[in-house]
Amino acid sequence: MVFQVRLDSAGGFSQIQKAIDQGAVGIHLTGDAAEGLMVQGKLDKIQETISYIKAQKRIAGVAAHGLDVVIECEKAGLDVDFYQKTLHSHDYYTAPLPEEKGLVGAHDNSWCRDPQAVIEFMAKVNKPWIAFKILAAGAIHPRTAFPYAFKSGADFVLVGMFDWQIEEDAKLAKRVLSILAGADVKRVRPWS
């Protein structure tokens, strides 16, 4: 199991210990936590968190909504085992318009500001990538989102769904992955 954690109110690692106690194999710092530390100029605290997780013999990741977190972690050479980064196309009715510059569009509708930039940057990253928010909060159908994420280089997808959707989505993911395993299908980057 992979758990997501934030630092506690004192900047400590109590959530990490709780995740370990509950059986975590992998632990990642949430996107909002990593982004908050970046805004505060505390890249060193991200590395400290990663080091602490690894010292507990767990795989350690960093999640992000904004690509800048991944870029800065890579630039600084942080010892991250995997990334969890948002990815979805803008092919949906309420997708953010080009003039909407904030992290979230006018309709609270963007979780991946610039998908092409994510695809291009992640193509150069040699670490596993879990793509999340690939359905853009249900605005994109899994039949479109799954192939998009995997062809764009994601190694895994994290998909929110209701219990009655699990079987259909699992079958779809299996079908998409079997098609992408074909020799004639091009991915942006090799599987990690």
Side-chain angles (χ1 to χ4, degrees):
M1 289 186 285
V2 177
F3 283 63
Q4 64 178 9
V5 298
R6 293 181 177 88
L7 301 179
D8 58 37
S9 60
F13 303 134
S14 63
Q15 285 192 15
I16 294 169
Q17 189 56 54
K18 185 176 181 181
I20 291 168
D21 292 345
Q22 293 180 4
V25 173
I27 302 170
H28 69 81
L29 194 57
T30 64
D32 63 327
E35 289 155 358
L37 291 169
M38 288 288 300
V39 168
Q40 297 170 38
K42 295 183 177 178
L43 191 61
D44 58 326
K45 190 65 175 181
I46 295 175
Q47 178 57 60
E48 183 184 339
T49 304
I50 295 302
S51 296
Y52 181 82
I53 294 168
K54 291 180 133 205
Q56 309 312 304
K57 309 268 189 268
R58 302 305 192 271
I59 57 173
V62 172
H65 301 90
L67 183 58
D68 59 324
V69 171
V70 179
I71 291 171
E72 292 304 316
C73 287
E74 284 293 296
K75 192 182 332 179
L78 299 192
D79 193 19
V80 176
D81 291 321
F82 69 94
Y83 290 107
Q84 185 170 304
K85 171 68 184 83
T86 54
L87 178 70
H88 60 75
S89 73
H90 284 185
D91 295 332
Y92 58 100
Y93 180 71
T94 59
L97 301 172
E99 61 270 13
E100 294 177 319
K101 301 297 182 196
L103 285 178
V104 178
H107 303 288
D108 190 24
N109 59 348
S110 178
W111 301 273
C112 186
R113 168 61 42 209
D114 187 345
Q116 190 58 42
V118 172
I119 293 165
E120 290 170 8
F121 186 80
M122 292 306 289
K124 300 178 274 184
V125 174
N126 191 22
K127 294 176 182 157
W129 169 27
I130 302 168
F132 73 112
K133 299 202 182 283
I134 68 167
L135 305 179
I140 302 172
H141 195 282
R143 283 189 304 268
T144 302
F146 287 18
Y148 179 82
F150 287 126
K151 283 182 183 178
S152 297
D155 298 297
F156 305 93
V157 294
L158 172 62
V159 182
M161 64 188 91
F162 294 106
D163 58 351
W164 50 269
Q165 296 171 308
I166 294 171
E167 182 179 1
E168 180 183 349
D169 284 354
K171 286 178 180 177
L172 175 62
K174 186 176 178 180
R175 193 166 55 247
V176 168
L177 289 171
S178 70
I179 291 167
L180 290 177
D184 60 335
V185 176
K186 301 283 189 227
R187 270 179 46 93
V188 172
R189 65 184 211 141
W191 296 96
S192 290

